[in-house]
Amino acid sequence: MTNNFAVLGLQWGDEGKGKIVNFLSDRANAACRYQGGHNAGHTLIINGEKIVLHLLPSSICHEKALSLIGKGVVISCDALFEEIEKIEPIAKNIHERLKISPACSLIQPYHILVDQLKEKSNSFNTIGTTLRGIGPAYEDKVARRAIRIIDTLSESKLEDKLKENISYYNFWLENYFGHTKLDFQKIKDENLHYGEKLTPLLADVSSLINGLNDQGKRVLFEGAQGALLDVDQGTYPFVTSSNCSPAGIASGAGIGPLDVGYILGVVKAYVTRVGEGPMPTEIHDSIGAEIATKGGEVGATTGRPRRCGWFDAVTVKRIIKSNSVSALCLTKIDVLDFLDTIKICVGYDFKNGSGDYAECMDLVDVEPKYIECKGWQTSLKGINEFDLLPPEAKAFVKKIEEVCELPVDVISTGPDDHGTIVLNEEI
Ligand code: GDP
Ligand code: IMO
Ligand code: MG
């Protein structure tokens, strides 16, 4: 048994994972991103400065922690090195502390191009992706033709694999999208260049984690996106292309499923969603707009407005039950300060027999059933002790525990570390 732990989102992303991972990083010897790519946008506030990370683990500013990127992550080298350069002045010894698996698949320029062309085309479902090439990169991985970091270390191997990929993509680009051909030489040169740059950062992340655990050290696994965007467990097809639920940790980091440890599921006190797809509790009136304004609900990666809705305990409970989630972290509770009544969805009326197919997560033919909680109408911002919360806020937290059938171990009342209440000191 290990004492590892995981922090990941149980909704449609942007639950506040970055803040919580940064806050808890002191309790870990290493933090590991294990899926997704630079579609993620994780916000941390360090010494009053706002930092948005896309690929690097949110522990990166903690000098004592190793930062790991496991093989389940798809890497854009442009984005990675841009991020490293930006964070270097405040993340000391980053080149010694950052370790990346050579088994990671690389996002290529043609992945970004195809993502963009598909999203623009009338022949495909518009998903509202981040246009970062994430879906096409994972498609190549599953199709067993991905260029992995290791492939960039040998010119002949890279050339063979890239030739195969480029002829495949050129056929598709020219004949389906009427697009010009890709420049093989340019793409090859870029890959070789990045292979060289990546070499000093490469490590067998899976063995590294096992080695740390053998020494009794703790690893924190940081999820990107949220379980409702998981390709198998989310609102398919309006999902991302990886397993962002706890099920993805073991395969993405390269560890045994029993070594994941304690799983902290981060949920916002309401829900948000960026892009297309069903959201049964979406609020279409001025309350939704006010939550969005007060919560600063604008995408950290794309700057798109986030749709807002009431807390949906039905979807969260389904994810909890099917993913061995240990406890909840309830974030952004302060955003609801202004409300006199707060709704929680505790059930669905399934129409047209759709309940029989609930596992498909279509969530189209459902009518949410709500309970109402009394609002507190006073500022919670920055409160860091449970006892200092007003009775209505305490009752709201208890209600979330009751309807989700899981303890709330952490509460977040503001974007920086100060506004954090830890109710289980064993984390
Ligand atoms: P992530 O993708 O899950 O890391 O979340 P994002 O960083 O995309 O979005 C969360 C936003 O809410 C960021 O702007 C955070 O600074 C902010 N935030 C995090 N926790 C809290 C909180 O408890 N209260 C408030 N008001 N803001 C928070
Ligand atoms: P973090 O880690 C919120 C959404 C996109 C789109 C869908 C597919 O910050 O919580 P993709 O580019 O992944 O193929 O897009 O997934 N999406 C996110 N939404 N937070 C994220 O990450 C997201 N990453 C992807 O908006 O609906
Ligand atoms: Mg985000």
Side-chain angles (χ1 to χ4, degrees), residues 4-82:
N4 294 336
F5 63 126
V7 174
L8 74 184
L10 300 189
Q11 296 159 325
W12 283 288
D14 305 325
E15 297 90 349
K17 301 174 290 292
K19 170 204 155 153
I20 299 300
V21 169
N22 174 53
F23 177 81
L24 293 175
S25 288
D26 277 347
R27 302 166 194 223
N29 301 95
C32 178
R33 274 281 309 271
Y34 55 88
Q35 49 68 230
H38 66 312
N39 48 349
H42 296 179
T43 315
L44 340 171
I45 310 281
I46 296 186
N47 298 328
E49 193 188 334
K50 180 174 158 176
I51 296 163
V52 181
L53 296 169
H54 302 284
L55 263 172
L56 298 173
S58 300
S59 57
I60 198 75
C61 293
H62 289 255
E63 278 174 57
K64 290 192 183 132
L66 280 176
S67 286
L68 313 175
I69 299 185
K71 59 186 159 195
V73 175
V74 286
I75 296 187
S76 151
C77 293
D78 287 337
L80 176 72
F81 286 106
E82 191 185 312

Side-chain angles (χ1 to χ4, degrees), residues 13-19 40-45 50 222 225 268 294-300 306 330-335 381 412-416 419:
D14 305 325
E15 297 90 349
K17 301 174 290 292
K19 170 204 155 153
H42 296 179
T43 315
L44 340 171
I45 310 281
K50 180 174 158 176
E222 175 179 5
Q225 292 79 53
K268 263 186 220 188
K294 292 209 167 13
E297 296 299 353
V298 175
R306 296 172 180 159
L330 183 64
T331 61
K332 302 193 85 162
I333 181 168
D334 56 297
V335 173
K381 196 155 200 139
S412 176
T413 60
D416 57 15

Side-chain angles (χ1 to χ4, degrees), residues 58-240:
S58 300
S59 57
I60 198 75
C61 293
H62 289 255
E63 278 174 57
K64 290 192 183 132
L66 280 176
S67 286
L68 313 175
I69 299 185
K71 59 186 159 195
V73 175
V74 286
I75 296 187
S76 151
C77 293
D78 287 337
L80 176 72
F81 286 106
E82 191 185 312
E83 195 165 315
I84 291 176
E85 203 174 301
K86 222 164 147 189
I87 200 83
E88 248 178 327
I90 49 170
K92 298 218 177 83
N93 306 325
I94 183 170
H95 288 274
E96 283 90 74
R97 291 188 294 112
L98 176 64
K99 300 290 166 210
I100 302 173
S101 167
C104 289
S105 297
L106 291 174
I107 297 182
Q108 299 292 342
Y110 43 84
H111 294 139
I112 299 168
L113 187 59
V114 167
D115 196 1
Q116 294 174 350
L117 290 168
K118 276 176 88 174
E119 284 288 286
K120 268 197 254 155
S121 156
N122 294 328
S123 320
F124 292 92
N125 240 339
T126 302
I127 305 293
T129 74
T130 58
L131 305 178
R132 302 288 196 270
I134 305 293
Y138 276 115
E139 281 178 41
D140 275 5
K141 175 177 171 168
V142 176
R144 296 161 293 188
R145 61 171 168 258
I147 311 280
R148 303 195 296 173
I149 294 178
I150 187 178
D151 302 321
T152 64
L153 307 182
S154 147
E155 186 168 351
S156 60
K157 195 169 167 197
L158 175 69
E159 197 159 312
D160 288 349
K161 287 197 85 170
L162 208 51
K163 261 190 195 144
E164 185 189 321
N165 275 280
I166 290 203
S167 68
Y168 170 81
Y169 275 95
N170 273 341
F171 182 81
W172 199 23
L173 284 169
E174 278 190 302
N175 295 295
Y176 195 86
F177 293 109
H179 200 274
T180 49
K181 278 190 176 180
L182 299 164
D183 183 338
F184 173 81
Q185 193 59 42
K186 183 164 178 267
I187 297 174
K188 184 185 136 190
D189 290 347
E190 273 170 11
N191 274 277
L192 287 173
H193 162 73
Y194 278 132
E196 252 178 57
K197 264 188 109 167
L198 281 164
T199 302
L201 299 171
L202 300 180
D204 180 338
V205 168
S206 166
S207 301
L208 213 156
I209 295 173
N210 287 324
L212 287 170
N213 286 159
D214 287 345
Q215 296 168 44
K217 294 190 171 161
R218 280 191 105 185
V219 181
L220 193 176
F221 301 102
E222 175 179 5
Q225 292 79 53
L228 298 179
L229 287 170
D230 181 293
V231 67
D232 287 306
Q233 303 194 41
T235 50
Y236 191 89
F238 301 100
V239 292
T240 189

